[in-house]
Amino acid sequence: MCIRDRYRLKSFTTVITIINIVCFFLSWILLGTQPQQAQFLSFPPQGLFSIGGFYSYSVLRHFEVYRFFTSALLHGFLSHLLSNAFGTFVAGSLLESMLGTRKTAILYFLTTISASTLSLDTQVVSIGASGAIFGLVGGLLGFWYVRYESLAKVKFIRVRLLAVFA
């Protein structure tokens, strides 16, 4: 199988990656940037909270459950967006080619909710799609384990690369 075939554009993976990129640029338009920040194109936590960042107090006290989803579409700075977009595209493309679009989308959204739920105990603004990416990587490992009966047959180069960028 050619690399081009393995990473061909998939419907869900492409759409969610593009949505993340569009949301980053909308954040940039809405919030502007902080020139004194060390990261290029970075946003303040208060600004990210105001446009949907996950904060446990808001979810538990004010029932702002939309934050379970919107926080995964926000990224704090440009390199955060690029690493999450790369991880989503690579893991999502692989998984979508093996499981199909519907199952990949369900796994992505379930792990997004799960990652946000694990953030309920924190007192910081949580953002990013890393939880969903780790869910996709877990789905890949689970699929390979069930399909090939042994993780020894799996080439972990791609998985290590995903873990670095997630």
Side-chain angles (χ1 to χ4, degrees), residues 43-154:
F43 308 114
Q46 302 86 355
L48 291 168
F49 169 77
S50 70
I51 59 172
F54 188 87
Y55 185 63
S56 59
Y57 182 82
S58 295
V59 173
L60 296 174
R61 300 283 187 214
H62 302 290
F63 304 106
E64 296 175 351
V65 294
Y66 64 89
R67 293 182 184 273
F68 280 101
F69 299 103
T70 56
S71 62
L73 300 174
L74 299 173
H75 295 83
F77 41 91
L78 185 60
S79 61
H80 184 207
L81 167 73
L82 294 176
S83 63
N84 276 198
F86 176 79
T88 300
F89 187 76
V90 172
S93 295
L94 286 169
L95 200 59
E96 198 167 355
S97 68
M98 292 185 279
L99 295 180
T101 301
R102 181 178 294 153
K103 289 180 183 176
T104 302
I106 289 169
L107 179 65
Y108 183 89
F109 290 119
L110 286 177
T111 55
T112 297
I113 293 169
S114 299
S116 294
T117 302
L118 290 173
S119 297
L120 281 172
D121 193 33
T122 64
Q123 296 299 316
V124 296
V125 177
S126 301
I127 54 167
S130 297
I133 296 166
F134 282 118
L136 293 175
V137 172
L140 282 170
L141 290 174
F143 179 82
W144 283 329
Y145 182 76
V146 170
R147 178 78 187 255
Y148 296 111
E149 301 174 359
S150 171
L151 288 176
K153 295 180 182 178
V154 177

